[in-house]
Amino acid sequence: SHFLQAADAYARALELNENNINAYMWSAALFSEDLDIKNDLEAFRLVEKAVDLDPLNRVANGNYQLHLSDQGRDSEAQENLKRLIKIDPEHNQYIQQLAAIHLMNDRWAEASKLLVLIPRFVDRYSFFSFMILTKINAEDRFEAFFDAVAIDNPLIDAMRATEQGLFATPAELVAEAEILLLQPDLEGQARSIIYRLIEIGRFGLARALIENMAPALKRDINELKYDRFNSLPDYMVCLYFAGEIERSHQIAEMILEQNQNRRRMGPRGKGIDDAISYLTLGDTEKAVGEIELAFDEGWRSYYSYRIDHQPIFKPILHDKSIERVKNDIDQYIQEQRPVVLKNMKDAAVF
């Protein structure tokens, strides 16, 4: 593959110059993202070497902290980023990376506190804000949030599409889907309506949109990888409800195999994707167990997964363990919500 060729090229570059920082960083990226050669420990070693060679390199430092968090060394990553923010206050990405680590570990108060330090025209400002609102189940603040998105924000069109997807009627969703299918959607514009189509039972239409975003998903099962939109779990669910049980089961088993060494929390965490895979396979006991384990490890994103609305979760909605997890998350939200909303108001999110 092209990824393997690139990995060989970077290896040769390092043979020629063992101090080639860019080669270390790009090699690390390949080992992090490409599942043919994925090796998180090797990726970590490479990016650590880049930081050793240039302790103030902005790109290397940012990647290194994300790797630390993915390795479970979350506190170390936070302390490093706080130190880097003081050393290099002009580099706003350090603040964004610290906010991302908090957000992906469901520490919403900490993430929202940093929004005031992120320029409003930066795309992550709006993305982080919206993600936090979905996680604290604050649909009552969505309209005010969308009204306040800065016109010069790079995500303005995506935010408008997300707003449309949230509030559209079923007929409007279908009409928008049919328009999106008229041409390739390699930018993933359909993401904002796919989960709603799944909720209203339009599995075939949702599947077509996913395939239009990520054509690779139509290939032989042995060639499937997580696509860049991470829509494989949704695709699996669409196949399952469309009656393509064997293929959905194959994808579920593949996801479980690929996720064996992935942490649940963190920037590249798997969340509760394994639970969705087990539900597709009909193993409700393991699905419940996965959600309980995720909760024990800090997962609180019950509402951003829309568990009460997505049909794949229906068999476990009234399980006592799931009800207990939901009640505990509701309590966590009650504690976090006032602080989060105040932080977002201070940051002029709405």
Side-chain angles (χ1 to χ4, degrees), residues 57 117 129 131 170 282 338:
N57 186 289
L117 301 176
S129 300
M131 288 300 298

Side-chain angles (χ1 to χ4, degrees), residues 161-175:
T162 300
E163 180 182 21
Q164 181 182 7
L166 283 166
F167 300 112
T169 65
E172 289 170 338
L173 287 171
V174 171

Side-chain angles (χ1 to χ4, degrees), residues 288 292 316-327:
V288 170
E292 288 182 297
I316 63 171
L317 272 186
H318 301 297
D319 182 276
K320 292 187 183 302
S321 296
I322 297 300
E323 290 178 343
R324 183 167 56 252
V325 166
K326 182 182 179 182
N327 288 337

Side-chain angles (χ1 to χ4, degrees), residues 275 283-293 316 319 321-322:
D283 195 334
T284 56
E285 183 177 347
K286 284 187 177 178
V288 170
E290 276 295 320
I291 293 174
E292 288 182 297
L293 285 171
I316 63 171
D319 182 276
S321 296
I322 297 300

Side-chain angles (χ1 to χ4, degrees), residues 141-342:
R141 299 300 178 110
F142 281 174
E143 186 174 355
F145 163 75
F146 288 119
D147 288 344
V149 176
I151 195 68
D152 56 349
N153 190 296
L155 288 183
I156 183 70
D157 292 336
M159 290 292 100
R160 291 284 175 257
T162 300
E163 180 182 21
Q164 181 182 7
L166 283 166
F167 300 112
T169 65
E172 289 170 338
L173 287 171
V174 171
E176 177 64 18
E178 291 173 346
I179 291 172
L180 287 169
L181 287 172
L182 293 176
Q183 60 186 3
D185 183 20
L186 301 182
E187 296 302 314
Q189 295 181 42
R191 283 177 292 177
S192 60
I193 65 171
I194 285 171
Y195 73 95
R196 287 282 320 281
L197 287 167
I198 292 174
E199 288 177 5
I200 64 173
R202 297 301 299 262
F203 305 112
L205 197 52
R207 172 190 178 177
L209 288 173
I210 295 171
E211 291 176 343
N212 197 38
M213 281 194 325
L217 294 179
K218 292 185 286 187
R219 297 176 186 163
D220 181 84
I221 189 68
N222 294 319
E223 297 182 35
L224 282 180
K225 306 292 180 188
Y226 266 124
D227 63 282
R228 68 190 182 97
F229 299 116
N230 196 27
S231 53
L232 190 53
D234 287 334
Y235 188 59
M236 170 183 68
V237 168
C238 289
L239 292 173
Y240 175 77
F241 283 108
E244 294 191 42
I245 306 300
E246 182 179 356
R247 186 167 171 79
S248 70
H249 283 187
Q250 289 175 327
I251 294 175
E253 290 165 355
M254 185 184 69
I255 290 174
L256 290 169
E257 181 180 356
Q258 291 177 358
N259 279 350
Q260 282 182 6
N261 297 316
R262 264 179 93 192
R263 296 181 68 244
R264 292 180 178 83
M265 306 301 293
R268 299 184 184 92
K270 62 184 177 181
I272 59 168
D273 283 358
D274 285 357
I276 298 172
S277 297
Y278 282 126
L279 286 168
T280 301
L281 293 169
D283 195 334
T284 56
E285 183 177 347
K286 284 187 177 178
V288 170
E290 276 295 320
I291 293 174
E292 288 182 297
L293 285 171
F295 178 81
D296 290 343
E297 294 177 16
W299 177 83
R300 300 292 184 270
S301 297
Y302 185 96
Y303 290 99
S304 60
Y305 273 86
R306 295 183 64 83
I307 288 176
D308 290 341
H309 305 281
Q310 287 288 313
I312 194 67
F313 293 106
K314 188 175 180 180
I316 63 171
L317 272 186
H318 301 297
D319 182 276
K320 292 187 183 302
S321 296
I322 297 300
E323 290 178 343
R324 183 167 56 252
V325 166
K326 182 182 179 182
N327 288 337
D328 288 344
I329 289 175
D330 285 339
Q331 179 62 40
Y332 181 72
I333 289 174
Q334 286 182 357
E335 295 167 359
Q336 293 263 307
R337 183 181 169 107
V339 178
V340 168
L341 293 180
K342 180 184 182 303

